[in-house]
Amino acid sequence: MRKEGMVSLWVGKMPEQKRLEEYIEIPYLEDGESDEIMPSKFGKDFDINYYDEDFIECTFFDIETLDLQNLLSQNSYSEVISSRFIEINGDEVKHEVNVAILLYNFEYSGSVSEIKYMDYSLKYLGSTSYDEKTS
């Protein structure tokens, strides 16, 4: 659900950057009278009906890692959120990953915690504030 100042995090594996971009892309159906917004594959997998594409960041690495801080180092507010997600999950994730998806101004309910398919998998790691003044 939309919540100002919060960020939700998913980590996992994807075979390539292009696949990740297609996964989070929100398709629009143009029927001539209205532009209907359909959920992205990411939204469908995690039961999220809508999110603002302007508030999602994805990181893709060619090499898999266990290091959560390294995985988040290229994202907005990394100096704040890295330590907060490490407090929640520890320094390392349980399985090697090469993808991080961060959804800002959104606090996920956690209704679907993990998905696994043949060529990709993602796990929800939690939500935290990205504001330096709150924790």
Side-chain angles (χ1 to χ4, degrees), residues 7 9 11 65-73 77-94 102 125-129:
V7 59
L9 171 65
V11 299
T65 183
L66 294 169
D67 186 341
L68 190 54
Q69 185 161 359
N70 184 44
L71 193 65
L72 298 175
S73 65
Y77 305 98
S78 64
E79 60 283 343
V80 175
I81 64 172
S82 292
S83 62
R84 292 183 180 169
F85 280 119
I86 287 170
E87 280 180 36
I88 296 168
N89 297 286
D91 290 343
E92 294 186 342
V93 293
K94 299 199 185 327
L102 293 109
L125 290 189
S127 298
T128 191
S129 169

Side-chain angles (χ1 to χ4, degrees), residues 21-31 34-45 47-53 56:
E21 292 166 3
E22 292 169 349
Y23 182 70
I24 64 162
E25 182 178 7
I26 297 175
Y28 293 87
L29 295 178
E30 297 179 29
D31 63 7
S34 66
D35 293 337
E36 185 179 345
I37 300 172
M38 304 295 292
S40 66
K41 179 69 173 137
F42 169 67
K44 288 179 189 174
D45 281 348
D47 199 24
I48 301 170
N49 293 327
Y50 176 77
Y51 56 87
D52 190 332
E53 287 179 295
I56 191 166

Side-chain angles (χ1 to χ4, degrees), residues 12-26:
K13 291 184 184 182
M14 286 271 174
E16 58 188 23
Q17 175 78 31
K18 183 176 169 97
R19 180 81 167 91
L20 175 60
E21 292 166 3
E22 292 169 349
Y23 182 70
I24 64 162
E25 182 178 7
I26 297 175

